[in-house]
Amino acid sequence: MALALALGRRGLGNTWPNPAVGAVVVRFDGGTPRIVGRGWTQPGGRPHAETEALERAGDLARGATLYVTLEPCSHHGKTPPCVDAIRAAGIARVVSAIADPDTRVAGRGHAILRDAGIAVDVGVGAAEAVAAHAGHVRRVVEGRPHVTLKMALSADGKVALAGRRPVAITGPAATMRVHLMRAMNDAILVGIGTALSDDPLLTCRLPGLAHRSPVRVVMDATLRLPPTSRLVNTARETPLWIVTRPDVPADPAARMREAGAHLIHVAPAETGPGVDPAAALRALGGLGVTRLLVEGGPTVAAALLRADLIDAAVLLHGPAVIGPDGVDPLEGLSLTALTAGPALALQATEMLGPDRLDAYARRAESP
């Protein structure tokens, strides 16, 4: 199952709206386990991991055991159900990490396999699988993506220079980790303040992984994003979605569409000029996004935290000091509202050169 989970992680950020599943076919001839097939969900969500592993195993799948990180699907979509492929291959036993909460499956896949005389065991590697499939589970249960907040913090807890001027806070190793996170998420979100002050690209720039760049999403209630920005100028190369209010003027909306951006209209925030963060996440979930990386800025981060919409956080602490005039990470909130609040708990700490990475996750979902 550990191998199946590792294989499944290859698809993170690249299979949505489908889950990134891993599968391994194992024979136990003579008591010695032998791997005869491996598979993971392919780009775009198809083929599924099970059919990939079974195809590689061929005739050796008959009488073998299939390890899979999520309950095999039992419904007809754009491809036939995986349970049909498993039965046809002659698999004798299925070891499944967790049931699929999707109402089209939800235990039905396991039941069909048992009815076909296939032994089914559920729960091996469950904690790891829950974490691996958090995006899929969040989307089908709550209708929104799993949200990870990433922030780079100076030694004195600031995220930018006075006036929201950008500054390099962490080193190359931390930068590489951030780009890997981008590749493993379906979409990346920033607020309009960050888009204006940083003029970012928000792409994955690791060698060979440019094609794994996530959809770029900007929370821009009044369409302040200029047509000259790097985000707009690259909208036809890497998708750009703008979350805005329904009442924005027609002319700037038309200009954004002409540049290749996709506009998502959601309800305005209850207070202030922004948009409702919960409505924004539901809209992204409706478009198939399962894993969302939030990279700024303080206004968006605070709004998501207040609405209890942050499911994980990665804080990168650099050694430099910015000073008291620097920008705080959460607009109107202390950092402890995130790090010592009721929702998240510290899971791991790692050094990346001179920088420290602290990873937080929801308490109820801690292994």
Side-chain angles (χ1 to χ4, degrees):
M1 187 60 75
L3 174 58
L5 287 161
L7 292 171
R9 283 192 288 270
R10 296 182 179 188
L12 289 176
N14 202 33
T15 67
W16 61 284
N18 288 0
V21 178
V24 179
V25 180
V26 182
R27 295 192 65 86
F28 291 90
D29 302 323
T32 301
R34 178 165 62 107
I35 295 171
V36 295
R38 311 176 191 215
W40 54 94
T41 310
Q42 295 301 293
R46 301 174 191 85
H48 291 184
E50 298 94 323
T51 55
E52 286 283 292
L54 292 171
E55 183 177 349
R56 289 185 171 94
D59 292 340
L60 293 175
R62 190 159 300 279
T65 296
L66 173 69
Y67 291 83
V68 62
T69 62
L70 184 69
E71 178 180 6
C73 66
S74 56
H75 60 284
H76 283 271
K78 294 185 178 180
T79 57
C82 285
V83 292
D84 290 354
I86 293 168
R87 291 187 296 183
I91 288 289
R93 177 174 174 243
V94 171
V95 181
S96 175
I98 57 174
D100 189 343
D102 190 328
T103 55
R104 297 171 298 177
V105 187
R108 186 166 175 264
H110 292 151
I112 291 174
L113 294 174
R114 290 190 178 104
D115 289 345
I118 299 171
V120 177
D121 296 316
V122 183
V124 175
E128 295 86 349
V130 166
H133 294 301
H136 170 69
V137 172
R138 191 80 61 193
R139 179 173 177 264
V140 300
V141 173
E142 300 182 28
R144 66 170 179 86
H146 185 82
V147 175
T148 299
L149 174 67
K150 188 279 297 182
M151 293 192 296
L153 300 163
S154 65
D156 53 344
K158 305 295 182 179
V159 295
L161 299 171
R164 295 184 180 261
R165 290 174 295 146
V167 60
I169 292 175
T170 55
T175 298
M176 291 179 65
R177 179 63 62 87
V178 170
H179 282 270
L180 181 60
M181 291 172 63
R182 291 178 179 180
M184 297 175 72
N185 279 270
D186 309 341
I188 180 172
L189 181 144
V190 297
I192 183 59
T194 296
L196 292 174
S197 61
D198 294 3
D199 192 20
L201 273 175
L202 302 179
T203 53
C204 175
R205 294 189 289 280
L206 292 177
L209 288 180
H211 67 287
R212 297 286 295 267
S213 293
V215 171
R216 288 94 49 85
V217 183
V218 181
M219 297 270 267
D220 184 7
T222 56
L223 289 186
R224 296 163 56 203
L225 188 65
T228 55
S229 71
R230 296 202 295 172
L231 286 168
V232 175
N233 284 330
T234 57
R236 298 194 184 278
E237 301 165 17
T238 304
L240 172 64
W241 296 354
I242 301 175
V243 180
T244 190
R245 294 163 54 123
D247 56 353
V248 290
D251 287 347
R255 285 194 293 270
M256 289 295 107
R257 292 191 183 97
E258 289 170 4
H262 173 64
L263 268 58
I264 304 170
H265 297 284
V266 302
E270 292 185 2
T271 58
V275 296
D276 181 351
L281 294 191
R282 287 194 300 270
L284 294 178
L287 290 169
V289 176
T290 67
R291 292 167 56 87
L292 177 68
L293 179 65
V294 177
E295 286 203 17
T299 302
V300 167
L304 291 171
L305 182 60
R306 287 189 176 98
D308 192 25
L309 293 172
I310 296 175
D311 306 303
V314 173
L315 306 186
L316 296 161
H317 301 268
V321 173
I322 288 180
D325 293 335
V327 177
D328 292 327
L330 297 168
E331 186 76 31
L333 296 173
S334 68
L335 183 60
T336 56
L338 176 77
T339 59
L344 303 181
L346 181 65
Q347 299 293 296
T349 295
E350 178 183 354
M351 296 305 297
L352 300 172
D355 306 318
R356 187 182 86 246
L357 182 154
D358 289 340
Y360 294 80
R362 281 197 177 270
R363 295 180 185 278
E365 297 167 2
S366 305

